Amino acid sequence: MQSNSSKPSFKVIGTRPIRPGDTDKATGQALYGVDVTLPDLLYGAVLRSPHAHARILSIDTRQAEALPGVKAVITAADLPQPGSARGEDRYQSENTLAREKVLYFGHAVAAVAATNEHIALDALELIQVAYEVLPPVLDPDQAMQEGAPILHNDLSTGANEAPTNLADHMQLKRGDVEKGFALASVIVEREFHTATVHQGYIEPHNASALFSASGQLTIWCSTQGSFSVRSQVAEILQVPRVHIRVIPMEVGGGFGGKNRAYLEPLAALLSRKSGHKPVKMVMSYGEVLSATGPTSAASIRIKMGADASGHITAAAARLVYAAGAFPGSPVGTAANALLAPYRIDNFQIDGYDVVVNKPWAAAYRAPGVANANFTCESVIDELSQKLGLDPLEFRLRNAVREGDLLPDGAAYARIGLIETLEAARAHPHYSAPLAGPHQGRGVACGYWGNGGGRSSASASLNSDGTVNLVTGSVDLSGTRMTLAMQLAEVLGIAAEDVKGSMADTDSTGFADGSWGSRTTFSTGQAVIKVGQELIRLLCKRAADIWKVPLEQVSFADGEFSSGKEKLAFKKLASMLGWDVPVLASAAVNPDSVGPSFATHIVDVEVDPETGQVRLLRYTAVQDTGKAVHPAYVEGQIQGAVTQGIGWALNEEYFYDEAGHLLNGSFLDYRIPTCPDVPSIEPVIVEVPSPSHPFGVRGVGEMSIVPPPGAIANAIHAALGVRMEVLPMSPGRILEALWKEEEALE
Amino acid sequence: MQSNSSKPSFKVIGTRPIRPGDTDKATGQALYGVDVTLPDLLYGAVLRSPHAHARILSIDTRQAEALPGVKAVITAADLPQPGSARGEDRYQSENTLAREKVLYFGHAVAAVAATNEHIALDALELIQVAYEVLPPVLDPDQAMQEGAPILHNDLSTGANEAPTNLADHMQLKRGDVEKGFALASVIVEREFHTATVHQGYIEPHNASALFSASGQLTIWCSTQGSFSVRSQVAEILQVPRVHIRVIPMEVGGGFGGKNRAYLEPLAALLSRKSGHKPVKMVMSYGEVLSATGPTSAASIRIKMGADASGHITAAAARLVYAAGAFPGSPVGTAANALLAPYRIDNFQIDGYDVVVNKPWAAAYRAPGVANANFTCESVIDELSQKLGLDPLEFRLRNAVREGDLLPDGAAYARIGLIETLEAARAHPHYSAPLAGPHQGRGVACGYWGNGGGRSSASASLNSDGTVNLVTGSVDLSGTRMTLAMQLAEVLGIAAEDVKGSMADTDSTGFADGSWGSRTTFSTGQAVIKVGQELIRLLCKRAADIWKVPLEQVSFADGEFSSGKEKLAFKKLASMLGWDVPVLASAAVNPDSVGPSFATHIVDVEVDPETGQVRLLRYTAVQDTGKAVHPAYVEGQIQGAVTQGIGWALNEEYFYDEAGHLLNGSFLDYRIPTCPDVPSIEPVIVEVPSPSHPFGVRGVGEMSIVPPPGAIANAIHAALGVRMEVLPMSPGRILEALWKEEEALE
């Protein structure tokens, strides 16, 4: 379903052309990182820590180096010193190869390049590492306690303070919280705990590198940002950017987890040390789970109050996010998003970024927000119940609109939360009767801010009137097409006449990575500028052909006109012949973005004997702004909801007390499979964003946010128990039911 | 040696930085077409005609298709019909795969793709082709005669004329030739014959193609022009340009022979027919010699007269050039270049383009001019002798200068012929005594027009102040560096801070191929425009930083200045941080070029017993315009002279009467080797070209032109015989000596 609200009318935007690359991906012909083959290719493997926390006393690589077929062995000693200052660069270096200490199970300690994978793996067993094992700390609350094992001896809250695991404390405040709660007629306070979960992309990390004798480094890899790999490798290896060429291959899923470079600097170092041979590295899935960047586990206490008229009077929240081995959890983003859908005059939110002996947390689709939103939407649901209000009605009374402020004080431009709430209330799903016992319906809203960021684009006209468009934005979700469509719209030609490509870092202008649902939005604006420049150049050519002044030439609906004469775009292109080539480039860094809102409805049936939750029906209403390619938008919503379901019901890292990961495989780490997921109905609501010429908003991340809250509320409706933990796995459901029964006895 | 005449002074232009790729090429790490490997790669091979001229009665591919491991077999039936109109496109198609007739020994008839090379070669032997063998014609004079075998039944001089082998007749005239000869006190007339020679690049043609199920065609190949491969394949296969991506690999020599696509369309068709598997094809050297594009054999009659004051009064010439199997010899270029160095009021030049049963002639370094110039410079030498004038003095009296006209009527701008003549006369070589008997010294001048053509360029600023420059111009001779140097000069940074790259056709603006010595000249002008645009953008950023109006910001010597404050280029770049990316693109199509002239001096010693010619000393004076990278310019001059020496003394195709190539290997086709070539002293004379902001002229082709004439004149000085044939191989020298002796008896 798609509303037709959006103006102005478009010729290409909003249509559903076939993506050229789809058949290639379906038939396995698209080239991914694992397809890279080069002459004299060596294979790399990584030795990883068996301990969650230990001091490295010594590393002896002599036996490994002596093994026939081994061409290079590297340790942190082969990395340039990152410098003593705390910060991203040093953490990047220490995460690439552990220096004094290993900080999590799977932390890279050494790497080997050999003539084949088997020799490389054998060589790993010949590397002797002496460890002094230290007690680990895995839980962020425990990590903040007095006497907890300390990960970093230079992390402290103040100059003369003792080292701590608390990397950062931030606070958002408005009004008078005590006064706010005093005005409340109902108050709910709960504490929630959410597990560590992984993005679960199917394609493991991979990188191939050739560090040539003349100092030119070429890297083929699976990344969300070729330029960000370039700068990370430049900083870790201290090489000028102009010597590094990153060639982005097709990506088999990223979701935030492929922004950071893991294998790339290792492959580069191994290539240089092995006499400038190309080196290829591919992670096993166990390595992906244990040593890349899952999202933060969190412990969240939240208290909210509302008055008899159904307005929220106050909120207080304390978010503790586990950053993993190095600082940088998304707690700041989570704190701002937690209450973003609601107008609240009095609140205080405290966020804590805490290091623990787990892999360094990375971004995951709307980083940090799905678990935060779960807690707020559970409490909102409970408040509406206590007030005897329909949960959508209660949300509508408190929903933010244009001019309202985010918790961080920024003002909203035109947004679509209310439109999604009304579309949800009007949707047949919301009024459909439930069939049986132990069934329940839940709703939840959610906010995601979306990203802006730096993008550039270039386009070149072909003599047959087709156009090649190139950007540095990695295509994760079909953006080669959504960008080509925006250019085709400007040029007044068919989407099929524009080919969008992603080029390597040598061949195109700078672009930030494809994160924050930013590509169609930000890079799209660079593409639109390029299209306008092409039109300007072609108006000149038309003026020359017609021998009229440039001012007399206009362009509309794909036609150049002199008033008297007309030329269609492709016709003019075919007339240029032996003329100066027509190309243009442009760059942008939008200073505003269009935030997204969504309202989801879910029906569940819970088996009180087994605790299993079955999803019966799912409807996801999202304000997508103008949907460039509605089929992709629907796919993004369905994919996001599916990941949200995994987060809600199945996914979590299991560690033993020593900090060993116990479920490091897709057999034991349960992402949703087809039987777990109902048919998800995406409902596109198009409230055009004022920050994009066509009204485009980010789309991809939003709908991972509401599912945990919506499902938790549905489970409560079905069983009458409030779940305070993610995932809400069968065991946890039963525990909650037993607790409820005990309480009743 | 290098003159310092050129103004203005440069910081980067004229220096000799190390080319980053050189070590990679020397160590074998640079990636050439043969290094391309892809998953499921198939190998292709071509079945070629054993006859010089035959009608194809039938082709039976069934047995070949049945051979295990064979994935596809193609013939002309798999090519789209090229349409009936005569012209380049149809010839391209018929040269790719013979349709009704094979027109030369080695003409492609069918192609096979198999799982390895051996199976592919075996399969060729299983293809049954029934031929009706026809009499061939190999010599262009014979081909023009009544009753000669006719290659094309639709080639005729007029509507109702009978088919002929004469593809074109062109004429250049000025003044009154008869009156001119009447004024002459000395007249020389001679007839010359020159053999078919090959560019002799070391790297054979190769192409890999992946024609995906979604209709996207990717081609990796060794070419001088990735965009020209794209358009040739687009026309031959009738596929939109936007579906074709050509990735140019490093090139192991081209010299004009790698402009045309041979294997590319075959690999593409085989890939599509084999179920969209990638297909790789590499020619044997025998295939390179027999089935690519050597230069034209020629038969040239030339008559020139001069008066007692040593001025040329008239010239008449008839050039018959063998185009090979399809029309398009460089006879037009040759006709215009033949008399280009001299002011002649009365001349008539007739050029004939004739098809013969030899491979389709292609461009070879200054196409068609080396053999034409050999004839003119031999006659000029003889005239100067009859007049008792020093050969350089005679040339100086007749040399063209600014304002004079080319034979085709175009006027010369500032040129440097006289400067090269004077530098040659002043060079110690010219006055050095000759040591022994049978030694002689010869001189010759030459002209080459150089090319302009369409180019584009884009550049992107990195946060560390380095710059990535990308163009679609294939780098044959170090142009990535000579283009980077021009950008560095404009930006006021070091050459090492700019990386020049060649991108594939999807990723960069259109550029004509790297022919006509055009890249440093034409693409350089696009690069300079890009540099100026980058400076304009950065002046804006500086103005923002200084909060001053843009008009107040100036840029000079690598520094931005507000009058009060200053910022060096790299410093400003480092201050931009989270700002809009800085990139620019530009395109050019220069409407004038700077022609080149050269004057060469050579000393030879001839062994009258064996006829072997030994080169004792060689000095090549060339007006290069401003030399961007003098070391490359010197290398180009030395390489061109070496090829000219091969043309003069060794190189020729041997055919039997049936038209079979008898010397299709580097063992039997004798290109010069180290013992054949003396140390060649390049002398750079820099007369800046008014057609380029830095005074650049084309460099690469010029110095292949004078060697045959200079060596012929030196042989005459040594032995007193005038050679009227190329190559002047030992056998031909002896024949000439015997003829001379007979004449004396």
Side-chain angles (χ1 to χ4, degrees), chain A residues 20-21 23-24 27 29 31 35 37-39 210-214 216 220 227 230 240-245 275-277 453-458 460-464 466-470 496-499 501 503 505-510 512 515 577-589, chain B residues 20-21 23-24 27 29 31 35 37-39 210-214 216 220 227 230 240-245 275-277 453-458 460-464 466-470 496-499 501 503 505-510 512 515 577-589:
Chain A
T23 327
D24 300 341
T27 57
Q29 284 189 310
L31 293 175
D35 297 317
T37 49
L38 291 156
L210 175 54
F211 208 141
S212 82
S214 53
Q216 301 295 313
W220 296 257
F227 283 92
R230 187 181 71 166
R241 281 162 174 71
V242 80
H243 291 175
I244 306 173
R245 178 184 181 201
H276 311 287
K277 296 268 173 300
R454 299 164 292 184
S455 287
S456 43
S458 307
S460 174
L461 177 67
N462 300 320
S463 55
D464 59 7
T466 57
V467 177
N468 282 102
L469 167 67
V470 59
E496 293 70 18
D497 288 331
V498 180
K499 179 180 181 186
S501 309
T505 55
D506 275 7
S507 311
T508 181
F510 179 89
D512 284 310
W515 44 255
W578 182 266
D579 204 339
V580 177
V582 177
L583 76 155
S585 54
V588 298
N589 186 7
Chain B
T23 325
D24 301 341
T27 56
Q29 284 190 308
L31 293 175
D35 298 317
T37 48
L38 291 157
L210 175 55
F211 207 141
S212 82
S214 54
Q216 301 295 312
W220 297 257
F227 284 92
R230 187 182 70 166
R241 281 158 173 76
V242 81
H243 292 176
I244 306 174
R245 178 185 180 200
H276 311 288
K277 297 269 177 294
R454 299 164 291 183
S455 286
S456 44
S458 306
S460 174
L461 177 67
N462 301 320
S463 55
D464 59 8
T466 57
V467 178
N468 282 102
L469 167 67
V470 59
E496 293 70 17
D497 288 331
V498 179
K499 179 180 182 185
S501 309
T505 54
D506 275 6
S507 310
T508 182
F510 180 88
D512 283 310
W515 43 255
W578 182 266
D579 205 338
V580 177
V582 178
L583 76 156
S585 54
V588 299
N589 186 8

Side-chain angles (χ1 to χ4, degrees), chain B residues 618-632:
Chain B
Y618 204 107
T619 303
V621 185
Q622 179 176 330
D623 169 22
T624 64
K626 180 60 195 169
V628 174
H629 192 303
Y632 298 177

Side-chain angles (χ1 to χ4, degrees), chain A residues 643-701:
Chain A
Q643 289 190 311
I645 290 168
W647 202 327
L649 297 178
N650 308 104
E651 297 183 39
E652 65 183 305
Y653 274 35
F654 290 103
Y655 282 95
D656 66 17
E657 283 175 355
H660 303 117
L661 181 62
L662 301 178
N663 62 332
S665 84
F666 267 148
L667 274 178
D668 302 317
Y669 180 85
R670 272 274 278 116
I671 64 173
T673 58
C674 292
D676 301 316
V677 181
S679 150
I680 296 158
E681 183 186 342
V683 179
I684 293 173
V685 173
E686 293 182 310
V687 177
S689 161
S691 307
H692 183 287
F694 297 157
V696 170
R697 296 179 191 271
V699 163
E701 289 162 292

Side-chain angles (χ1 to χ4, degrees), chain B residues 23 48 56 150 169 215 240 250 360 382 535 539 627 638 662:
Chain B
T23 325
R48 300 188 177 278
I56 299 172
I150 295 297
H169 167 219
E250 297 293 344
W360 192 13
E382 197 167 355
I535 294 301
C539 283
Q638 291 168 319
L662 300 177

Side-chain angles (χ1 to χ4, degrees), chain B residues 704-717:
Chain B
I704 198 178
V705 173
I711 292 169
N713 296 336
I715 290 170
H716 178 268

Side-chain angles (χ1 to χ4, degrees), chain A residues 433-676:
Chain A
L434 285 164
H438 309 310
Q439 294 189 356
R441 175 167 299 149
V443 299
C445 293
Y447 154 91
W448 174 244
N450 291 319
R454 299 164 292 184
S455 287
S456 43
S458 307
S460 174
L461 177 67
N462 300 320
S463 55
D464 59 7
T466 57
V467 177
N468 282 102
L469 167 67
V470 59
T471 78
S473 291
V474 171
D475 181 355
L476 302 172
S477 55
T479 51
R480 275 167 289 199
M481 174 58 86
T482 58
L483 295 172
M485 289 172 74
Q486 292 180 74
L487 184 56
E489 186 71 47
V490 175
L491 302 181
I493 56 180
E496 293 70 18
D497 288 331
V498 180
K499 179 180 181 186
S501 309
M502 53 180 183
D504 63 74
T505 55
D506 275 7
S507 311
T508 181
F510 179 89
D512 284 310
S514 294
W515 44 255
S517 305
R518 63 173 292 276
T519 304
T520 299
F521 170 79
S522 268
T523 308
Q525 296 190 50
V527 167
I528 289 167
K529 282 180 71 176
V530 162
Q532 291 161 341
E533 175 62 10
L534 287 178
I535 294 299
R536 198 184 63 75
L537 292 168
L538 288 169
C539 284
K540 279 190 184 169
R541 303 300 175 91
D544 297 345
I545 289 169
W546 288 323
K547 301 186 175 39
V548 301
L550 177 56
E551 316 78 66
Q552 200 173 310
V553 179
S554 63
F555 177 81
D557 297 337
E559 274 196 331
F560 296 86
S561 166
S562 68
K564 285 190 292 310
E565 291 162 294
K566 283 186 180 297
L567 277 173
F569 183 92
K570 292 186 91 169
K571 177 63 180 166
L572 175 59
S574 71
M575 289 167 67
L576 297 180
W578 182 266
D579 204 339
V580 177
V582 177
L583 76 155
S585 54
V588 298
N589 186 7
D591 45 22
S592 72
V593 295
S596 293
F597 290 91
T599 302
H600 290 192
I601 314 167
V602 61
D603 298 348
V604 305
E605 178 173 86
V606 191
D607 180 339
E609 303 306 314
T610 65
Q612 200 210 353
V613 176
R614 195 157 65 82
L615 301 184
L616 305 172
R617 184 173 182 179
Y618 203 107
T619 303
V621 185
Q622 179 176 328
D623 169 22
T624 65
K626 180 60 196 170
V628 175
H629 192 302
Y632 298 178
V633 170
E634 289 160 357
Q636 286 295 319
I637 293 171
Q638 290 168 319
V641 169
T642 304
Q643 289 190 311
I645 290 168
W647 202 327
L649 297 178
N650 308 104
E651 297 183 39
E652 65 183 305
Y653 274 35
F654 290 103
Y655 282 95
D656 66 17
E657 283 175 355
H660 303 117
L661 181 62
L662 301 178
N663 62 332
S665 84
F666 267 148
L667 274 178
D668 302 317
Y669 180 85
R670 272 274 278 116
I671 64 173
T673 58
C674 292
D676 301 316

